Amino acid sequence: MQPEYRIVRNIKKLIRSRGGWCVKIHGSPYQDSGTPDLLACYKGRFIAIELKTSRGVSSLEQREVKRAIIAAGGYAIITHLIGDVADVLDAVDKL
């Protein structure tokens, strides 16, 4: 199992290698609950990524934020797999 920081690093590399922008969000007491770990922009599309280890479980707040982002027209995923992020980037490429 990869630790979360390695997953973050690899996903950031993937997004940036394809010309996208991304930033890791570090939680704080002043941040809204459920804010995704990575925020990205790829070809003008907003992408939010909540990262979990393979044993991690998303919280209710994280699932609600995911639904809200999708309802607003963005892309949002909760994953531990870099392939899931590549799939989102591929979907944007096909638009």
Side-chain angles (χ1 to χ4, degrees):
M1 174 176 62
Q2 287 190 58
E4 189 173 308
Y5 79 89
R6 275 201 199 131
I7 299 169
V8 168
R9 186 180 65 210
N10 291 335
I11 289 174
K12 286 170 63 176
K13 277 186 190 176
L14 171 68
I15 293 168
R16 290 174 178 162
S17 75
R18 292 178 63 167
W21 173 90
C22 63
V23 64
K24 167 73 170 104
I25 303 299
H26 298 279
S28 79
Y30 306 105
Q31 178 178 303
D32 292 343
S33 294
T35 300
D37 294 313
L38 280 172
L39 301 179
C41 186
Y42 180 68
K43 295 188 176 181
R45 307 294 186 194
F46 177 78
I47 303 169
I49 306 160
E50 177 61 40
L51 296 164
K52 298 291 179 192
T53 62
S54 59
R55 294 185 184 136
V57 177
S58 61
S59 69
L60 175 63
E61 291 89 356
Q62 290 167 333
R63 292 187 302 272
E64 288 174 349
V65 167
K66 176 185 173 188
R67 283 190 287 275
I69 291 168
I70 292 168
Y75 292 83
I77 61 171
I78 300 172
T79 189
H80 67 276
L81 300 171
I82 192 169
D84 291 343
V85 177
D87 290 345
V88 171
L89 301 179
D90 291 342
V92 171
D93 284 340
K94 292 177 183 173
L95 295 176

Coordinates of all heavy atoms in Angstrom, one line a residue:
M1 N 0.8 -1.2 0.0 CA 0.0 0.0 0.0 C 0.9 1.2 0.0 O 1.8 1.3 0.8 CB -0.9 0.0 1.2 CG -1.7 1.2 1.4 SD -2.9 1.2 2.8 CE -1.8 1.0 4.2
Q2 N 0.6 2.2 -0.9 CA 1.3 3.4 -0.9 C 0.8 4.4 0.2 O -0.4 4.5 0.3 CB 1.1 4.1 -2.3 CG 1.8 3.5 -3.4 CD 1.7 4.4 -4.6 OE1 2.2 5.5 -4.6 NE2 1.2 3.8 -5.7
P3 N 1.7 5.1 0.8 CA 1.2 6.2 1.7 C 0.6 7.3 0.9 O 0.9 7.5 -0.3 CB 2.5 6.6 2.4 CG 3.7 6.0 1.8 CD 3.1 4.9 0.8
E4 N -0.3 8.1 1.5 CA -1.0 9.1 0.8 C -0.1 10.1 0.2 O -0.3 10.6 -1.0 CB -2.0 9.8 1.8 CG -2.9 10.7 1.0 CD -4.0 11.3 1.9 OE1 -4.7 10.5 2.6 OE2 -4.1 12.5 1.9
Y5 N 1.0 10.5 0.8 CA 1.9 11.5 0.2 C 2.5 11.0 -1.1 O 2.7 11.9 -2.0 CB 3.0 11.9 1.2 CG 4.2 11.0 1.3 CD1 5.3 11.1 0.4 CD2 4.2 9.9 2.2 CE1 6.4 10.2 0.5 CE2 5.3 9.1 2.3 CZ 6.3 9.2 1.5 OH 7.4 8.3 1.5
R6 N 2.7 9.7 -1.3 CA 3.2 9.2 -2.6 C 2.2 9.3 -3.6 O 2.4 9.6 -4.8 CB 3.7 7.8 -2.4 CG 5.1 7.7 -2.0 CD 5.8 6.4 -2.3 NE 6.9 6.2 -1.5 CZ 7.2 5.1 -0.8 NH1 6.4 4.1 -0.8 NH2 8.3 5.1 -0.1
I7 N 0.9 9.0 -3.3 CA -0.2 9.0 -4.2 C -0.3 10.5 -4.7 O -0.5 10.7 -5.9 CB -1.5 8.5 -3.5 CG1 -1.3 7.0 -3.1 CG2 -2.7 8.7 -4.5 CD1 -2.4 6.5 -2.2
V8 N -0.3 11.4 -3.7 CA -0.4 12.8 -4.0 C 0.7 13.2 -5.0 O 0.4 13.9 -6.1 CB -0.3 13.7 -2.8 CG1 -0.1 15.2 -3.1 CG2 -1.5 13.5 -1.9
R9 N 1.9 12.9 -4.7 CA 3.1 13.3 -5.6 C 2.9 12.7 -7.0 O 3.1 13.4 -8.0 CB 4.4 12.7 -5.0 CG 5.6 13.2 -5.7 CD 6.9 12.7 -5.1 NE 6.9 11.2 -5.2 CZ 7.5 10.4 -4.4 NH1 8.1 10.9 -3.3 NH2 7.5 9.1 -4.6
N10 N 2.5 11.5 -7.1 CA 2.3 10.8 -8.4 C 1.2 11.5 -9.2 O 1.2 11.6 -10.4 CB 2.1 9.3 -8.3 CG 3.4 8.6 -7.8 OD1 4.5 9.2 -8.1 ND2 3.3 7.5 -7.2
I11 N 0.1 11.8 -8.6 CA -1.1 12.4 -9.2 C -0.7 13.8 -9.7 O -1.0 14.2 -10.8 CB -2.3 12.4 -8.3 CG1 -2.8 10.9 -8.3 CG2 -3.4 13.3 -8.9 CD1 -4.0 10.7 -7.3
K12 N 0.0 14.6 -8.8 CA 0.4 15.9 -9.2 C 1.3 15.8 -10.5 O 1.2 16.6 -11.4 CB 1.1 16.6 -8.1 CG 0.2 17.1 -7.0 CD 0.9 17.5 -5.8 CE 1.8 18.7 -6.0 NZ 2.4 19.2 -4.7
K13 N 2.3 14.9 -10.5 CA 3.1 14.7 -11.7 C 2.3 14.4 -12.9 O 2.6 14.9 -14.0 CB 4.1 13.5 -11.4 CG 5.3 13.9 -10.7 CD 6.2 12.6 -10.6 CE 7.4 12.8 -9.7 NZ 8.2 11.5 -9.6
L14 N 1.3 13.5 -12.8 CA 0.5 13.2 -13.9 C -0.2 14.4 -14.5 O -0.2 14.7 -15.7 CB -0.5 12.1 -13.5 CG -1.6 11.8 -14.6 CD1 -1.0 11.1 -15.8 CD2 -2.7 10.9 -14.0
I15 N -0.9 15.1 -13.6 CA -1.7 16.3 -14.1 C -0.7 17.3 -14.7 O -1.0 17.8 -15.8 CB -2.4 16.9 -12.9 CG1 -3.5 15.9 -12.4 CG2 -3.0 18.2 -13.3 CD1 -4.2 16.2 -11.1
R16 N 0.4 17.6 -14.1 CA 1.3 18.6 -14.6 C 2.0 18.1 -15.9 O 2.2 19.0 -16.8 CB 2.4 18.9 -13.6 CG 1.7 19.7 -12.4 CD 2.7 19.9 -11.3 NE 2.1 20.8 -10.2 CZ 2.5 20.8 -9.0 NH1 3.6 20.2 -8.6 NH2 1.9 21.6 -8.1
S17 N 2.2 16.8 -16.0 CA 2.8 16.3 -17.3 C 1.9 16.5 -18.5 O 2.4 16.5 -19.6 CB 3.3 14.9 -17.1 OG 2.1 14.0 -17.1
R18 N 0.6 16.6 -18.2 CA -0.4 16.7 -19.3 C -0.8 18.2 -19.5 O -1.7 18.5 -20.2 CB -1.5 15.8 -19.0 CG -1.1 14.3 -19.1 CD -2.2 13.4 -18.8 NE -3.3 13.4 -19.8 CZ -4.2 12.5 -19.8 NH1 -4.2 11.4 -19.1 NH2 -5.2 12.6 -20.7
G19 N -0.1 19.1 -18.8 CA -0.3 20.5 -19.0 C -1.3 21.1 -18.0 O -1.8 22.3 -18.2
G20 N -1.7 20.4 -17.0 CA -2.7 20.9 -16.0 C -2.0 21.6 -14.9 O -0.8 21.5 -14.7
W21 N -2.8 22.2 -14.1 CA -2.4 22.9 -12.9 C -3.1 22.1 -11.7 O -4.2 21.7 -11.8 CB -2.9 24.3 -12.9 CG -2.6 25.0 -11.6 CD1 -1.5 25.7 -11.2 CD2 -3.6 25.1 -10.5 NE1 -1.7 26.3 -10.0 CE2 -2.9 25.9 -9.5 CE3 -4.8 24.6 -10.2 CZ2 -3.5 26.2 -8.3 CZ3 -5.4 24.9 -9.0 CH2 -4.8 25.7 -8.1
C22 N -2.3 22.0 -10.6 CA -2.9 21.4 -9.4 C -2.2 21.9 -8.1 O -1.1 22.4 -8.2 CB -2.9 19.9 -9.5 SG -1.3 19.2 -9.5
V23 N -2.9 21.8 -7.0 CA -2.4 22.2 -5.7 C -2.9 21.3 -4.7 O -4.1 20.8 -4.7 CB -2.8 23.7 -5.4 CG1 -4.3 23.8 -5.3 CG2 -2.0 24.2 -4.2
K24 N -2.0 20.9 -3.7 CA -2.4 20.1 -2.6 C -3.0 21.0 -1.5 O -2.4 22.1 -1.2 CB -1.2 19.4 -2.0 CG -1.4 18.7 -0.7 CD -2.2 17.5 -0.7 CE -2.2 16.7 0.6 NZ -3.4 16.8 1.4
I25 N -4.1 20.7 -1.0 CA -4.8 21.4 0.1 C -4.4 20.8 1.4 O -4.7 19.6 1.6 CB -6.3 21.5 -0.1 CG1 -6.7 22.1 -1.5 CG2 -7.0 22.2 1.0 CD1 -6.2 23.5 -1.7
H26 N -3.9 21.6 2.3 CA -3.5 21.1 3.6 C -4.6 21.5 4.6 O -4.9 22.7 4.7 CB -2.1 21.6 4.0 CG -1.0 21.1 3.2 ND1 -0.5 19.9 3.3 CD2 -0.4 21.7 2.1 CE1 0.4 19.7 2.3 NE2 0.5 20.8 1.6
G27 N -5.2 20.6 5.2 CA -6.3 20.9 6.1 C -5.9 21.8 7.3 O -4.8 21.7 7.8
S28 N -6.9 22.5 7.8 CA -6.7 23.4 8.9 C -8.1 23.6 9.6 O -9.1 23.3 9.0 CB -6.2 24.7 8.6 OG -7.2 25.6 8.0
P29 N -8.1 24.0 10.8 CA -9.4 24.2 11.5 C -10.3 25.3 10.8 O -11.5 25.4 11.1 CB -9.0 24.7 12.9 CG -7.6 24.5 13.1 CD -7.0 24.3 11.7
Y30 N -9.7 26.1 10.0 CA -10.4 27.2 9.3 C -11.0 26.8 8.0 O -11.6 27.6 7.3 CB -9.5 28.4 9.1 CG -8.8 28.9 10.4 CD1 -7.5 28.6 10.7 CD2 -9.6 29.5 11.4 CE1 -6.9 28.9 11.9 CE2 -9.0 29.9 12.6 CZ -7.7 29.6 12.9 OH -7.2 29.9 14.1
Q31 N -10.7 25.6 7.5 CA -11.1 25.1 6.2 C -12.5 24.4 6.3 O -12.8 23.8 7.4 CB -10.1 24.1 5.8 CG -10.4 23.4 4.5 CD -9.2 22.5 4.1 OE1 -8.1 22.9 4.0 NE2 -9.5 21.2 3.9
D32 N -13.3 24.6 5.3 CA -14.6 23.9 5.3 C -14.4 22.4 5.3 O -13.5 21.8 4.7 CB -15.3 24.2 4.0 CG -15.8 25.7 4.0 OD1 -15.8 26.3 5.0 OD2 -16.1 26.2 2.9
S33 N -15.2 21.7 6.1 CA -15.2 20.2 6.2 C -15.4 19.6 4.8 O -16.3 20.1 4.1 CB -16.2 19.7 7.1 OG -15.9 20.1 8.4
G34 N -14.7 18.6 4.4 CA -14.9 17.9 3.2 C -14.2 18.4 2.0 O -14.3 17.9 0.9
T35 N -13.4 19.5 2.2 CA -12.6 20.1 1.1 C -11.6 19.0 0.6 O -10.9 18.4 1.3 CB -11.8 21.3 1.5 OG1 -12.7 22.3 2.0 CG2 -11.0 21.9 0.4
P36 N -11.6 18.8 -0.8 CA -10.8 17.7 -1.3 C -9.3 18.0 -1.1 O -8.9 19.1 -1.0 CB -11.1 17.7 -2.8 CG -12.5 18.3 -2.9 CD -12.5 19.3 -1.8
D37 N -8.5 16.9 -1.2 CA -7.1 17.0 -1.0 C -6.3 17.7 -2.1 O -5.3 18.4 -1.9 CB -6.5 15.6 -0.9 CG -6.9 14.9 0.4 OD1 -6.9 15.5 1.4 OD2 -7.3 13.7 0.3
L38 N -6.8 17.5 -3.3 CA -6.1 18.1 -4.5 C -7.2 18.9 -5.3 O -8.3 18.3 -5.6 CB -5.5 17.1 -5.4 CG -4.1 16.5 -5.0 CD1 -3.8 15.4 -5.9 CD2 -3.1 17.6 -5.1
L39 N -6.8 20.1 -5.7 CA -7.7 20.9 -6.7 C -6.9 21.0 -7.9 O -5.7 21.4 -7.9 CB -8.0 22.2 -6.1 CG -8.8 22.2 -4.7 CD1 -9.1 23.6 -4.2 CD2 -10.1 21.4 -4.9
A40 N -7.5 20.9 -9.1 CA -6.8 20.9 -10.3 C -7.6 21.6 -11.4 O -8.9 21.7 -11.3 CB -6.5 19.5 -10.8
C41 N -6.9 22.2 -12.4 CA -7.6 22.7 -13.6 C -6.9 22.1 -14.8 O -5.7 22.1 -14.9 CB -7.5 24.2 -13.6 SG -8.4 25.0 -15.0
Y42 N -7.7 21.5 -15.6 CA -7.1 20.8 -16.8 C -8.0 21.1 -18.0 O -9.2 20.9 -18.0 CB -7.1 19.3 -16.6 CG -6.6 18.5 -17.7 CD1 -5.2 18.6 -18.1 CD2 -7.4 17.7 -18.5 CE1 -4.7 17.9 -19.1 CE2 -6.9 16.9 -19.6 CZ -5.6 17.0 -19.9 OH -5.0 16.3 -20.9
K43 N -7.4 21.8 -19.0 CA -8.1 22.3 -20.2 C -9.4 23.0 -19.8 O -10.4 22.8 -20.5 CB -8.4 21.1 -21.1 CG -7.1 20.5 -21.6 CD -7.3 19.4 -22.7 CE -6.0 19.0 -23.2 NZ -6.2 18.0 -24.3
G44 N -9.3 23.9 -18.8 CA -10.4 24.7 -18.5 C -11.4 24.1 -17.6 O -12.5 24.6 -17.3
R45 N -11.2 22.8 -17.2 CA -12.2 22.1 -16.3 C -11.6 22.0 -14.9 O -10.5 21.7 -14.7 CB -12.4 20.7 -16.9 CG -12.8 20.6 -18.3 CD -14.1 21.2 -18.6 NE -14.4 20.9 -20.0 CZ -15.4 21.6 -20.6 NH1 -16.1 22.4 -20.0 NH2 -15.7 21.3 -21.9
F46 N -12.6 22.2 -14.0 CA -12.2 22.1 -12.5 C -12.3 20.6 -12.1 O -13.3 19.9 -12.4 CB -13.2 22.9 -11.7 CG -13.0 22.8 -10.2 CD1 -12.0 23.5 -9.6 CD2 -13.8 22.0 -9.5 CE1 -11.8 23.4 -8.3 CE2 -13.6 21.9 -8.1 CZ -12.6 22.6 -7.5
I47 N -11.3 20.2 -11.4 CA -11.2 18.8 -11.0 C -10.8 18.8 -9.5 O -9.8 19.4 -9.1 CB -10.2 17.9 -11.8 CG1 -10.5 18.0 -13.3 CG2 -10.2 16.5 -11.3 CD1 -9.4 17.4 -14.2
A48 N -11.6 18.1 -8.7 CA -11.3 17.9 -7.3 C -11.1 16.5 -7.0 O -11.8 15.6 -7.4 CB -12.5 18.4 -6.4
I49 N -10.0 16.2 -6.2 CA -9.6 14.8 -6.0 C -9.4 14.6 -4.5 O -8.6 15.3 -3.8 CB -8.3 14.5 -6.7 CG1 -8.4 14.8 -8.2 CG2 -7.9 13.0 -6.4 CD1 -7.1 14.9 -8.9
E50 N -10.2 13.8 -3.9 CA -10.1 13.4 -2.5 C -9.3 12.0 -2.5 O -9.8 11.1 -3.1 CB -11.4 13.2 -1.8 CG -11.4 12.7 -0.4 CD -10.6 13.6 0.5 OE1 -10.8 14.9 0.4 OE2 -9.9 13.1 1.4
L51 N -8.2 12.0 -1.9 CA -7.3 10.9 -1.9 C -7.5 10.1 -0.6 O -7.5 10.6 0.5 CB -5.9 11.3 -2.0 CG -5.6 12.0 -3.4 CD1 -4.3 12.7 -3.3 CD2 -5.6 10.9 -4.4
K52 N -7.5 8.8 -0.8 CA -7.6 7.8 0.4 C -6.6 6.8 0.1 O -6.2 6.4 -1.0 CB -9.0 7.2 0.4 CG -10.1 8.2 0.7 CD -10.0 8.7 2.1 CE -11.1 9.7 2.4 NZ -10.8 10.4 3.7
T53 N -6.1 6.2 1.2 CA -5.3 5.0 1.0 C -6.3 3.8 0.7 O -7.5 4.0 0.7 CB -4.6 4.6 2.3 OG1 -5.5 4.3 3.3 CG2 -3.6 5.7 2.8
S54 N -5.8 2.7 0.3 CA -6.7 1.6 -0.1 C -7.6 1.2 1.0 O -8.7 0.6 0.8 CB -5.9 0.4 -0.6 OG -5.1 -0.1 0.4
R55 N -7.3 1.5 2.2 CA -8.1 1.2 3.4 C -9.0 2.4 3.9 O -9.8 2.2 4.8 CB -7.3 0.7 4.6 CG -6.6 -0.6 4.3 CD -5.8 -1.1 5.5 NE -5.1 -2.3 5.1 CZ -3.9 -2.5 5.5 NH1 -3.2 -1.7 6.2 NH2 -3.3 -3.6 5.1
G56 N -8.7 3.5 3.3 CA -9.4 4.7 3.8 C -10.9 4.8 3.4 O -11.3 4.2 2.4
V57 N -11.7 5.4 4.2 CA -13.1 5.6 3.9 C -13.5 7.1 3.9 O -13.0 7.8 4.7 CB -13.9 4.9 5.0 CG1 -15.4 5.1 4.8 CG2 -13.6 3.4 5.1
S58 N -14.2 7.5 2.9 CA -14.6 8.9 2.8 C -15.7 9.2 3.9 O -16.5 8.4 4.2 CB -15.1 9.2 1.4 OG -16.3 8.4 1.1
S59 N -15.6 10.5 4.3 CA -16.6 10.9 5.3 C -17.9 11.4 4.6 O -17.9 11.6 3.3 CB -16.0 12.1 6.1 OG -15.9 13.2 5.3
L60 N -18.9 11.6 5.3 CA -20.2 12.1 4.8 C -19.9 13.5 4.1 O -20.4 13.8 3.0 CB -21.2 12.2 5.9 CG -22.6 12.9 5.5 CD1 -23.2 12.1 4.4 CD2 -23.5 13.0 6.7
E61 N -19.2 14.3 4.8 CA -18.9 15.7 4.3 C -18.1 15.6 2.9 O -18.4 16.4 2.0 CB -18.1 16.5 5.3 CG -18.8 16.9 6.5 CD -18.7 15.9 7.6 OE1 -18.1 14.8 7.4 OE2 -19.3 16.1 8.7
Q62 N -17.2 14.7 2.8 CA -16.4 14.5 1.6 C -17.4 14.1 0.4 O -17.2 14.6 -0.7 CB -15.3 13.5 1.8 CG -14.2 14.1 2.6 CD -13.2 13.1 3.1 OE1 -13.5 11.9 3.2 NE2 -12.0 13.5 3.4
R63 N -18.3 13.2 0.7 CA -19.2 12.7 -0.3 C -20.2 13.8 -0.7 O -20.5 14.0 -1.9 CB -19.9 11.5 0.2 CG -19.0 10.3 0.3 CD -19.8 9.0 0.6 NE -20.6 9.0 1.8 CZ -20.1 8.7 3.0 NH1 -18.9 8.4 3.2 NH2 -20.9 8.7 4.1
E64 N -20.6 14.6 0.3 CA -21.5 15.8 -0.1 C -20.8 16.8 -0.9 O -21.4 17.4 -1.8 CB -22.0 16.4 1.2 CG -23.0 15.5 2.0 CD -23.4 16.1 3.3 OE1 -22.8 17.0 3.8 OE2 -24.4 15.6 3.9
V65 N -19.5 17.1 -0.6 CA -18.7 18.1 -1.4 C -18.6 17.5 -2.8 O -18.7 18.3 -3.8 CB -17.4 18.4 -0.7 CG1 -16.4 19.1 -1.7 CG2 -17.6 19.2 0.5
K66 N -18.3 16.2 -2.9 CA -18.2 15.6 -4.3 C -19.4 15.8 -5.1 O -19.4 16.3 -6.2 CB -17.9 14.1 -4.1 CG -17.8 13.4 -5.5 CD -17.6 11.9 -5.3 CE -17.7 11.2 -6.7 NZ -17.8 9.8 -6.6
R67 N -20.6 15.6 -4.5 CA -21.9 15.8 -5.2 C -22.1 17.2 -5.6 O -22.5 17.5 -6.7 CB -23.0 15.3 -4.3 CG -23.2 13.8 -4.3 CD -24.5 13.3 -3.6 NE -24.5 13.5 -2.2 CZ -24.0 12.6 -1.3 NH1 -23.5 11.5 -1.8 NH2 -24.0 12.8 0.0
A68 N -21.7 18.2 -4.7 CA -21.9 19.6 -5.0 C -21.0 20.0 -6.1 O -21.5 20.8 -7.0 CB -21.6 20.4 -3.7
I69 N -19.8 19.6 -6.2 CA -18.9 19.9 -7.2 C -19.4 19.4 -8.6 O -19.4 20.1 -9.6 CB -17.5 19.4 -7.0 CG1 -16.8 20.2 -5.8 CG2 -16.6 19.5 -8.2 CD1 -15.6 19.6 -5.2
I70 N -19.9 18.2 -8.6 CA -20.4 17.6 -9.8 C -21.7 18.4 -10.2 O -21.8 18.7 -11.4 CB -20.7 16.1 -9.6 CG1 -19.3 15.3 -9.5 CG2 -21.5 15.5 -10.8 CD1 -19.5 13.9 -9.0
A71 N -22.5 18.7 -9.3 CA -23.7 19.5 -9.6 C -23.4 20.8 -10.2 O -24.2 21.4 -11.0 CB -24.6 19.6 -8.3
A72 N -22.3 21.4 -9.8 CA -21.9 22.7 -10.3 C -21.1 22.6 -11.6 O -20.7 23.7 -12.2 CB -21.0 23.4 -9.2
G73 N -21.0 21.4 -12.1 CA -20.3 21.2 -13.5 C -18.9 20.9 -13.4 O -18.3 20.8 -14.5
G74 N -18.3 20.6 -12.3 CA -16.9 20.2 -12.2 C -16.8 18.7 -12.1 O -17.8 17.9 -12.2
Y75 N -15.6 18.2 -12.0 CA -15.3 16.8 -11.9 C -14.8 16.6 -10.5 O -14.0 17.4 -10.0 CB -14.2 16.3 -12.9 CG -14.6 16.4 -14.3 CD1 -14.6 17.6 -15.0 CD2 -15.1 15.2 -14.9 CE1 -14.9 17.6 -16.4 CE2 -15.4 15.3 -16.3 CZ -15.4 16.5 -17.0 OH -15.8 16.5 -18.3
A76 N -15.3 15.5 -9.8 CA -14.8 15.2 -8.5 C -14.8 13.7 -8.3 O -15.7 13.0 -8.7 CB -15.8 15.8 -7.4
I77 N -13.7 13.3 -7.7 CA -13.5 11.8 -7.5 C -12.9 11.6 -6.1 O -12.2 12.5 -5.6 CB -12.6 11.1 -8.6 CG1 -11.2 11.7 -8.6 CG2 -13.3 11.2 -9.9 CD1 -10.3 10.9 -9.5
I78 N -13.2 10.5 -5.5 CA -12.6 10.0 -4.3 C -11.9 8.7 -4.7 O -12.6 7.7 -5.2 CB -13.7 9.7 -3.2 CG1 -14.4 11.0 -2.9 CG2 -13.0 9.2 -2.0 CD1 -15.6 10.9 -2.0
T79 N -10.6 8.6 -4.5 CA -9.8 7.5 -5.0 C -8.5 7.3 -4.3 O -8.1 8.2 -3.6 CB -9.6 7.7 -6.6 OG1 -9.0 6.5 -7.1 CG2 -8.6 8.8 -6.8
H80 N -7.9 6.2 -4.6 CA -6.5 5.9 -4.2 C -5.7 5.5 -5.4 O -4.6 5.1 -5.3 CB -6.5 4.9 -3.0 CG -6.9 3.5 -3.5 ND1 -8.2 3.1 -3.5 CD2 -6.1 2.4 -3.9 CE1 -8.2 1.8 -3.9 NE2 -7.0 1.4 -4.1
L81 N -6.3 5.5 -6.6 CA -5.7 5.0 -7.8 C -5.4 6.1 -8.7 O -6.2 6.9 -9.1 CB -6.6 4.0 -8.5 CG -7.0 2.8 -7.7 CD1 -8.0 2.0 -8.4 CD2 -5.7 1.9 -7.4
I82 N -4.1 6.2 -9.2 CA -3.7 7.2 -10.2 C -4.5 7.0 -11.5 O -4.8 7.9 -12.2 CB -2.2 7.2 -10.4 CG1 -1.8 8.4 -11.2 CG2 -1.7 5.9 -11.0 CD1 -0.3 8.7 -11.2
G83 N -4.8 5.7 -11.8 CA -5.6 5.4 -13.0 C -6.9 6.1 -13.1 O -7.4 6.4 -14.1
D84 N -7.6 6.3 -11.9 CA -8.9 7.0 -11.9 C -8.7 8.4 -12.3 O -9.6 9.0 -13.0 CB -9.5 6.9 -10.5 CG -10.0 5.5 -10.1 OD1 -10.1 4.6 -11.0 OD2 -10.2 5.3 -8.9
V85 N -7.6 9.0 -11.9 CA -7.4 10.4 -12.3 C -7.1 10.5 -13.8 O -7.6 11.4 -14.5 CB -6.2 11.0 -11.4 CG1 -5.9 12.4 -11.9 CG2 -6.5 11.0 -9.9
A86 N -6.3 9.5 -14.3 CA -6.0 9.5 -15.7 C -7.3 9.3 -16.5 O -7.4 10.0 -17.6 CB -5.0 8.4 -16.0
D87 N -8.2 8.6 -16.0 CA -9.5 8.4 -16.7 C -10.3 9.7 -16.8 O -10.9 10.0 -17.8 CB -10.4 7.4 -15.9 CG -9.9 6.0 -16.1 OD1 -9.0 5.7 -17.0 OD2 -10.3 5.1 -15.3
V88 N -10.2 10.5 -15.7 CA -10.9 11.8 -15.7 C -10.2 12.7 -16.7 O -10.9 13.4 -17.5 CB -10.9 12.5 -14.3 CG1 -11.4 13.9 -14.4 CG2 -11.7 11.7 -13.3
L89 N -8.9 12.8 -16.7 CA -8.2 13.6 -17.7 C -8.5 13.1 -19.1 O -8.7 14.0 -20.0 CB -6.7 13.5 -17.5 CG -6.2 14.0 -16.1 CD1 -4.7 13.9 -16.0 CD2 -6.6 15.4 -15.8
D90 N -8.5 11.8 -19.4 CA -8.9 11.3 -20.7 C -10.3 11.7 -21.1 O -10.6 12.0 -22.3 CB -8.8 9.8 -20.7 CG -7.4 9.2 -20.6 OD1 -6.4 10.0 -20.8 OD2 -7.2 8.0 -20.3
A91 N -11.2 11.7 -20.1 CA -12.6 12.2 -20.4 C -12.6 13.6 -20.8 O -13.4 14.0 -21.8 CB -13.5 11.9 -19.2
V92 N -11.8 14.4 -20.2 CA -11.8 15.9 -20.5 C -11.2 16.0 -21.9 O -11.6 16.8 -22.7 CB -11.0 16.7 -19.5 CG1 -10.7 18.1 -20.0 CG2 -11.7 16.7 -18.1
D93 N -10.2 15.2 -22.2 CA -9.6 15.2 -23.6 C -10.6 15.0 -24.7 O -10.4 15.5 -25.8 CB -8.4 14.2 -23.7 CG -7.2 14.6 -23.0 OD1 -7.0 15.9 -22.7 OD2 -6.3 13.8 -22.7
K94 N -11.6 14.2 -24.4 CA -12.6 13.8 -25.4 C -13.7 14.8 -25.6 O -14.5 14.6 -26.5 CB -13.2 12.4 -25.0 CG -12.2 11.3 -25.1 CD -12.8 10.0 -24.7 CE -11.7 8.9 -24.7 NZ -12.2 7.6 -24.1
L95 N -13.7 15.8 -24.8 CA -14.7 16.9 -24.9 C -14.5 17.7 -26.1 O -13.5 17.9 -26.6 CB -14.8 17.7 -23.6 CG -15.2 17.0 -22.4 CD1 -15.1 18.0 -21.2 CD2 -16.6 16.4 -22.5

